[in-house]
Amino acid sequence: MTTQIEKNEKAEVTEYFNGTGFDRWNRIYSESDDVNKVQKNIRIGHQKTVDDVISWLKEYDNIKDKSFCDAGCGVGSLSIPLAKLGAKSIHLSDISEAMINETKSRAKEEGLDFNKLNFRTSDLENLKGSFNTVICLDVFIHYPQQEAEAMVKHLCELSDERLIVSFAPYTPLLALLKGIGQLFPGPSKTTRAYTLRESGIIEAAKQSGFKVVKSKLNQAPFYFSKLIEFVKS
C-alpha cells in the first residue's frame, strides 16, 4: 500500500518535472549550450547509457517485429533512436506531461511514424500492457530501495522477453559523496535522489523469472549509472 509520504514525494516529482525541472532537464537532454559544468557531465553520462542500450538492441535480429515500452521516457532520448531502428511499436510514458509533449515535438521534427508510437502520461505504478522489451533508464533515482525492487517486479510483469534498467548504484563512496552534497549538487537536489543496492534489484528480477545477461557501469562526474539487461528465464 502506498503511504502518504510516498504520495507526497510522487506529487513533488510530478510538479518538479512539469515546471522548473522540465526546463532544466530539457536543456540537459538537448544540444543547448545553456548548461553548467555539472549538467553537461550529466548529459554526457546519460548519453553513454542510451548509446549502450541502442548498441545492445542492435544485436536483436528481429527488432522490427518487437514491441517496446520506454518507461520514464523523458524527452525521448532513447525512444527516438529506437524508432529510427524500425521497432514495431513503442509505448512511451512519463510522469510529466511536459516531458511527453516535448517528446512528441521532437518525434515530429524527426518525421517519425506516429502510428508506431503510443504516448501516455503515467507513473511506473500505473503502467499496463504487454511488451517484448521494457526499458526504464535513470528513473529509479526517485525510488528508495524497497519501492524500486517492487517496480522491477512490476516491469517484469509487463515484459514478455527482456527488461533493461539503469539506476544509481549504492557504494560506500557514493553514499559518502551524497551525504556531503557532492553527488547531486545545487539545484539537482530539488527532488530526493536515491542510490540502490544492485543485489536487491537483481534479486527482484530473479524472483520474477528474469536473469542478468549484460551489465555495465557508466560514470561521468556527477553521473553514476548501473545498466543491466535481464532476459526471461
Side-chain angles (χ1 to χ4, degrees):
M1 180 179 296
T2 303
T3 67
Q4 188 60 46
I5 292 177
E6 291 166 351
K7 288 181 180 178
N8 291 342
E9 191 165 336
K10 184 185 296 184
E12 290 176 4
V13 172
T14 303
E15 181 179 3
Y16 172 68
F17 282 105
N18 275 319
T20 58
F22 168 74
D23 294 333
R24 180 175 297 120
W25 290 97
N26 189 32
R27 289 197 308 273
I28 291 175
Y29 296 148
S30 71
E31 296 180 356
S32 170
D33 293 327
D34 185 21
V35 290
N36 59 37
K37 183 178 180 181
V38 171
Q39 293 168 337
K40 186 174 183 179
N41 280 308
I42 292 174
R43 174 192 291 173
I44 292 170
H46 180 75
Q47 190 59 50
K48 284 182 180 179
T49 297
V50 170
D51 290 344
D52 283 334
V53 173
I54 293 298
S55 177
W56 291 358
L57 295 179
K58 283 181 178 178
E59 297 177 7
Y60 296 2
D61 57 6
N62 56 349
I63 191 172
K64 294 183 179 180
D65 299 323
K66 300 297 184 180
S67 61
F68 294 84
C69 174
D70 185 359
C73 64
V75 295
S77 303
L78 172 67
S79 284
I80 289 175
L82 177 56
K84 290 180 178 180
L85 289 181
K88 179 181 178 180
S89 64
I90 306 174
H91 181 93
L92 304 88
S93 71
D94 198 278
I95 198 170
S96 165
E97 185 176 3
M99 290 287 190
I100 288 292
N101 289 336
E102 176 64 19
T103 302
K104 288 180 180 179
S105 177
R106 294 189 183 194
K108 185 176 181 179
E109 289 179 1
E110 294 291 340
L112 299 181
D113 184 355
F114 272 59
N115 291 321
K116 295 184 177 181
L117 305 176
N118 179 26
F119 299 90
R120 182 185 177 192
T121 303
S122 173
D123 55 21
L124 296 187
E125 290 88 338
N126 289 301
L127 276 180
K128 298 179 181 179
S130 178
F131 313 93
N132 294 118
T133 297
V134 176
I135 305 171
C136 186
L137 302 183
D138 295 348
V139 177
F140 287 170
I141 198 166
H142 303 295
Y143 290 82
Q145 186 73 39
Q146 185 175 355
E147 286 74 12
E149 292 175 14
M151 285 304 100
V152 168
K153 293 179 180 179
H154 174 57
L155 296 178
C156 283
E157 292 176 353
L158 306 180
S159 175
D160 296 330
E161 298 175 7
R162 297 174 186 271
L163 172 66
I164 300 175
V165 300
S166 70
F167 54 92
Y170 173 87
T171 67
L173 175 59
L174 293 189
L176 176 62
L177 290 175
K178 181 181 177 184
I180 60 178
Q182 292 184 2
L183 180 56
F184 307 106
S188 297
K189 295 190 294 184
T190 302
T191 58
R192 295 176 182 84
Y194 296 97
T195 57
L196 303 175
R197 295 185 183 275
E198 181 179 340
S199 59
I201 299 299
I202 292 175
E203 179 60 26
K206 181 180 179 181
Q207 291 177 12
S208 299
F210 284 72
K211 64 181 180 181
V212 176
V213 291
K214 292 188 184 76
S215 66
K216 183 181 179 183
L217 177 65
N218 283 325
Q219 54 186 334
F222 309 111
Y223 179 91
F224 303 84
S225 184
K226 187 61 181 282
L227 180 65
I228 303 180
E229 179 179 5
F230 300 93
V231 297
K232 203 164 190 176
S233 303

